[in-house]
Amino acid sequence: MKKTKTTTVEKTEQVVTITKQIGRPVNPSSVRQTKIQERLAKKEAGLLKRGRPVIEGSKRQEVLAKRAEKVSNGIALAKGRPVNPNSKRQIELAKKANKVVSE
């Protein structure tokens, strides 16, 4: 997608529009341009593969399938590490929360 510069020149009873490409000229037979054209053709055909391939039957895919099943059944999913309510930090936070509420 090249940028273009459009200049309109008005002569007597004629309007002439000159369009000039800005930037470095493109060599359509260069290796880079052929790769770009091949990539565009694959993208349009739906054959462009991007990212890491998925391995069917892997442990990760099983976990994702179980997670999707739980979501479809309406089970709420907890994110992150479970909180230990008896930890030192949680006890301190509870005291601070009670202090703020009582004020």
Side-chain angles (χ1 to χ4, degrees):
M1 191 84 181
K2 284 295 240 176
K3 294 181 180 178
T4 58
K5 181 179 181 182
T6 305
T7 308
T8 305
V9 180
E10 291 186 29
K11 292 185 177 180
T12 56
E13 298 177 13
Q14 286 183 332
V15 176
V16 178
T17 304
I18 302 168
T19 303
K20 180 181 176 186
Q21 283 191 343
I22 298 175
R24 191 173 156 196
V26 175
N27 180 5
S29 62
S30 70
V31 175
R32 181 174 182 274
Q33 291 299 317
T34 54
K35 282 183 183 178
I36 291 172
Q37 293 303 319
E38 288 172 2
R39 195 176 305 128
L40 285 174
K42 283 183 180 180
K43 187 176 183 180
E44 290 171 357
L47 302 173
L48 185 65
K49 295 183 180 181
R50 300 183 67 169
R52 187 173 178 178
V54 174
I55 300 171
E56 294 300 326
S58 67
K59 179 71 175 177
R60 175 74 178 147
Q61 293 303 313
E62 290 175 14
V63 169
L64 291 175
K66 286 180 184 178
R67 179 180 221 106
E69 185 179 333
K70 286 180 182 179
V71 169
S72 66
N73 291 336
I75 299 172
L77 297 175
K79 290 186 178 181
R81 184 175 175 182
V83 176
N84 179 4
N86 298 326
S87 70
K88 182 179 176 182
R89 177 163 168 71
Q90 290 301 317
I91 293 170
E92 289 175 7
L93 289 173
K95 285 181 183 177
K96 286 181 183 177
N98 288 336
K99 191 177 191 181
V100 170
V101 170
S102 63
E103 290 177 356

